[in-house]
C-alpha cells in the first residue's frame, strides 16, 4: 500500500524529552554529523556542523557563516544519527560573531511505526470525543487516522488540560462499526495555527470487545484502500 493510502507510511514524529534531546545533539557533535539548515525565507539549504556547546547554546561552524547570519525568523534543522532522523525548529542568533541556537530548542525524532496507520476517508461518517471523567468535560473531535495500536485525534476546541504522557478517555464511532470507548496515552501534542489541537494517542488496557471493534475498523480501511488501488 502506498504512502498516500496509509497517510503515515509507518512513520511518525515524537518530541524528545530534554535529556534525550541533549543526547541527540551530543551524539551529532561526537559523530561530526552534518546539520542541514533551511530558512523559511530561503529554500536553499546550508550544511553546518556543531562546533561547541557553551552557555546553553549550540555554536555552529560552516563555510557559509555569512549566509547563516542573514537567516531571519524560524530555521528548520535536520540531522542524522546513523539511520535515525531528527528535526529542530528554532531561531539562529549571532553571539560574539558566531552563529548559534538555543540548546532548549524543541527536537523531534522521526520514528517507524510497528503497525501501519490508515487515514480515515473524509466521506466516511464518524463521531469522536475526548473527555475528563473527573471534570465531566467532553470535547468533540475527529479521528484522522488509526492503527491496531493507536490513532490521531484533531480537537477543534480543546478545553481540557492535556499533556504528553497523560492517560485520557476517548470515544469514537467510524463508518458502520460499533462505538469504541477506551483509555489512551497521549504520545504527541501539536497545536495548529487555527487553534486545532492534534493528539497522537496509543490505546491502553483495551478490552477484548474494544480490540475486536478496532480490528474491524482497520480491516474496513485495508479493504477500502485495496479496492481503491485497483481502480
Amino acid at each position: 500500500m502506498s504512502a498516500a493510502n496509509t497517510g503515515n507510511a509507518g512513520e511518525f514524529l515524537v518530541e524528545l524529552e530534554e535529556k534525550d534531546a541533549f543526547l541527540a545533539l551530543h551524539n551529532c557533535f561526537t559523530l561530526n554529523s552534518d546539520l542541514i539548515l533551511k530558512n523559511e525565507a530561503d529554500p536553499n539549504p546550508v550544511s553546518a556542523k556543531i562546533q561547541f556547546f557553551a552557555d546553553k547554546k549550540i555554536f555552529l561552524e560552516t563555510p557559509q557563516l555569512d549566509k547563516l547570519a542573514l537567516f531571519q525568523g524560524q530555521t528548520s534543522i535536520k540531522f542524522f544519527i546513523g539511520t535515525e532522523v531528527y528535526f529542530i525548529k528554532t531561531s539562529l542568533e549571532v553571539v560574539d560573531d558566531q552563529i548559534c541556537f538555543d540548546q532548549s530548542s524543541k527536537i523531534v525524532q522521526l520514528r517507524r511505526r510497528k503497525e501501519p496507520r490508515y487515514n480515515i476517508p473524509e466521506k466516511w461518517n464518524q463521531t469522536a470525543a475526548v473527555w475528563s471523567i473527573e471534570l465531566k468535560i467532553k470535547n468533540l473531535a475527529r479521528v484522522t487516522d488509526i492503527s491496531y495500536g493507536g490513532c490521531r485525534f484533531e480537537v477543534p476546541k480543546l478545553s481540557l488540560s492535556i499533556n504528553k504522557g497523560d492517560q485520557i478517555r476517548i470515544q469514537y464511532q467510524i463508518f458502520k462499526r460499533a462505538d469504541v470507548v477506551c483509555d489512551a496515552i497521549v504520545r504527541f501534542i501539536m497545536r495548529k495555527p487555527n487553534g486545532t489541537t492534534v493528539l497522537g494517542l496509543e490505546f491502553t488496557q483495551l478490552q477484548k470487545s474494544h480490540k475486536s471493534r478496532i480490528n474491524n475498523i482497520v480491516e474496513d480501511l485495508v479493504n477500502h484502500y485495496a479496492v481503491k488501488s485497483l481502480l
Side-chain angles (χ1 to χ4, degrees), residues 25 71 111 114 122:
L25 288 168
F71 275 16
R111 293 184 181 172
K114 296 178 181 178
E122 291 186 6

Side-chain angles (χ1 to χ4, degrees), residues 50-92:
I50 296 177
Q51 186 175 21
F52 61 89
F53 299 72
D55 299 324
K56 295 188 176 182
K57 295 188 182 299
I58 313 296
F59 288 82
L60 306 177
E61 60 176 342
T62 174
Q64 297 177 280
L65 278 177
D66 291 343
K67 183 175 180 180
L68 282 189
L70 299 176
F71 275 16
Q72 301 292 324
Q74 291 290 297
T75 295
S76 298
I77 304 175
K78 179 180 180 180
F79 65 95
F80 297 83
I81 304 297
T83 59
E84 302 296 329
V85 187
Y86 300 85
F87 300 92
I88 307 172
K89 194 88 166 182
T90 189
S91 296
L92 299 184

